[in-house]
Amino acid sequence: MSTLTEPLDRNWLQKQWRHVRLWRRFFAQAVVRETHYRAHFLTTLLVGLVQLGLGIVPTLLLFGFTQDVHGWSRAEVIALVGVYQIVTGLIATFVAPNMNRMTSYLTEGELDVVLLRPVSSQFYLTLRWINVAELTNVASGIVVLVIGLVQSDLAPGVGQVLQAVVLAGCGLVLLTAVWSAMSFLAFWLQSVGPIGVVYLSMVEAGRYPLVFFPVAVRTFLTFAFPVAFATTFPVRALAGDLNWWPVALGVALAVVAMTLVRLLWRRGLLTYSSASS
């Protein structure tokens, strides 16, 4: 039996496992909460389907006049819209509910309570809330992706699927890191609500292939705001157009980005003064 003087975790691995178990409780609470608001679930599903349809319509209009645009067929662009729907659905499920609360955490004293908890404060503030209903958009995105792959006659192998999954995962981590860094500016700016609106508007660029943009914008969407890793690169991987170098680059950028975000969080905490004092 543990005592009050016994350390909560004996080593680093036990500490990480405790965070995993805590996140599982967050997810279970989110599922129970969603069952109490079924209208919200249906509304989210309908809104997601409308947004998905609005994303496909421009593609159908564009390819009504041509069979190929900068090497992309209509079916490949539809697959890209599916990947975009999956990634944005995951962001809306796990990232947005927390980033949108960052201002209130810092200005209304909620961070004071979080700092007293025996968990990483950064982990708690960035993963506490989950919007389960948005997973319906992930499911609809998978359906559209499969339709696009079937229409384009692509039959990716195991290696290509693995490349696409890793690239999409890196893209999701990179986009989360960018939004986290922008939200952590609340330590100095107090309010970062408008920054979230700008971020979501920029993510819209991922709905289109990277080659549709000028070279300067392509560079920006690859390294400064790396939405290309989340959408364009995974589809090119499924088409067999990529080797493992972009995958290695995505993993390296994700590690660097998360390290920088961690340092920014620690720097922000040094400047934080209790809002309730």
Side-chain angles (χ1 to χ4, degrees):
M1 178 180 295
S2 63
T3 65
L4 294 176
T5 57
E6 184 178 351
L8 193 58
D9 300 301
R10 290 186 175 87
N11 55 50
W12 180 86
L13 187 60
Q14 287 182 333
K15 182 178 180 181
Q16 304 314 311
W17 178 240
R18 181 159 55 90
H19 283 81
V20 171
R21 286 188 284 116
L22 182 59
W23 186 86
R24 284 167 49 190
R25 291 189 178 183
F26 292 161
F27 189 83
Q29 290 176 355
V31 172
V32 172
R33 187 169 56 249
E34 199 62 40
T35 59
H36 293 168
Y37 301 98
R38 298 176 184 176
H40 174 256
F41 182 87
L42 294 175
T43 302
T44 304
L45 174 61
L46 292 176
V47 171
L49 291 176
V50 170
Q51 291 176 337
L52 182 59
L54 293 176
I56 293 178
V57 167
T59 301
L60 298 179
L61 292 176
L62 176 63
F63 284 91
F65 301 95
T66 180
Q67 298 295 320
D68 181 275
V69 178
H70 292 295
W72 284 73
S73 67
R74 182 181 68 176
E76 289 174 333
V77 176
I78 289 177
L80 176 66
V81 173
V83 173
Y84 171 84
Q85 184 79 354
I86 295 171
V87 172
T88 54
L90 290 173
I91 290 176
T93 302
F94 300 107
V95 182
N98 299 285
M99 293 300 109
N100 290 330
R101 286 180 167 85
M102 197 58 65
T103 296
S104 62
Y105 277 138
L106 300 181
T107 60
E108 298 179 9
E110 296 181 41
L111 179 58
D112 299 356
V113 179
V114 175
L115 291 174
L116 296 176
R117 297 178 184 274
V119 296
S120 164
S121 54
Q122 184 184 0
F123 161 83
Y124 191 92
L125 265 63
T126 54
L127 295 174
R128 170 63 182 89
W129 297 101
I130 301 169
N131 189 352
V132 177
E134 291 289 351
L135 289 177
T136 58
N137 293 325
V138 177
S140 62
I142 293 175
V143 172
V144 173
L145 171 61
V146 172
I147 292 174
L149 292 177
V150 171
Q151 290 187 348
S152 60
D153 293 327
L154 293 177
V158 175
Q160 294 163 343
V161 172
L162 181 60
Q163 284 182 331
V165 171
V166 174
L167 283 167
C170 291
L172 188 60
V173 170
L174 288 167
L175 291 176
T176 301
V178 171
W179 200 354
S180 296
M182 296 168 74
S183 297
F184 294 167
L185 293 178
F187 280 114
W188 297 273
L189 303 179
Q190 301 304 316
S191 177
V192 292
I195 290 179
V197 177
V198 173
Y199 171 88
L200 293 176
S201 299
M202 294 172 68
V203 169
E204 288 283 332
R207 194 191 298 274
Y208 304 99
L210 195 62
V211 292
F212 282 19
F213 300 96
V215 174
V217 179
R218 294 180 207 172
T219 304
F220 177 81
L221 295 177
T222 302
F223 298 104
F225 191 82
V227 70
F229 281 95
T231 57
T232 295
F233 291 168
V235 176
R236 297 323 305 172
L238 291 173
D241 294 338
L242 296 182
N243 54 35
W244 286 96
W245 281 110
V247 180
L249 177 62
V251 173
L253 288 176
V255 172
V256 171
M258 294 308 294
T259 301
L260 292 177
V261 166
R262 181 63 177 167
L263 293 175
L264 181 64
W265 171 258
R266 289 183 173 180
R267 183 69 182 84
L269 281 181
L270 293 177
T271 67
Y272 177 72
S273 58
S274 173
S276 58
S277 62

